[in-house]
Every structure is written in structure tokens, then in C-alpha cells.
Amino acid sequence: AITMSTGCNGVDCVRYYHLYLPSSRCYSDNSTNEDNDITSAYILPMVMALHCYGCTYQTMLEPWRNMAELKSFVLIVPEGLQNSWNAKYCCGYALKQNINDIEFLHLVIQDV
């Protein structure tokens, strides 16, 4: 898991997300241009899979990891605080604490 401390609105919290990179992201020494940059042929799409309220990240990681490998995309699976997300009208701890999950998700994307 990769950790971040953000989106907590004054609540002491550490945020986590899990990253899965498919084997297709591996490249040979011949896949760089004269500036030693990885060519655009190795840029992969990203999918972010959010677990449901009360579920854990594993409920998304396990089934989506196989799909990421099959379809060659980067899989990001963030963890909601106490298995919850602040979805305006729902649900649980994140809603009660007014956790800024949108900020967290934006920062995860920037981090990846």
C-alpha cells in the first residue's frame, strides 16, 4: 500500500491506495528515444476502482487485477476511511467527518 496524509479536514488520518502494474508495462532497452524517455507506446490507461461502503479494498483489487493484466491498464484501488467514502449523502465515518475524498482521489492520480 502507498500512504498519503491528505483530505482529512483536521481529522488525524493516513490514507492508503494500492497500485497494480500489468506485466505489459515492462519494456526492453530499445524502447527509449534519443532523450532516454520511455516512448508513448508504453503509456497505459488507468482505472480507479472504489470499494463499496463497508467493503475493503480487497473486494476490488482481486477481481480487477486479473482484468488489468488482461487489458493492460494500471489499476489504482484507494481505501476509504473506515471502509467508507464521503459521497455527499452517504456513508459512514467519511461522511460524518466531512472527509474530502475528492481531494484524496485527485492526489492519488497525481501521485501515480
Side-chain angles (χ1 to χ4, degrees), residues 39-65:
T39 63
S40 62
Y42 296 98
I43 296 174
L44 300 176
M46 292 190 310
V47 171
M48 185 176 286
L50 303 180
H51 61 77
C52 63
Y53 172 58
C55 297
T56 65
Y57 76 91
Q58 289 101 335
T59 60
M60 300 308 285
L61 185 62
E62 295 306 319
W64 280 92
R65 183 173 28 205

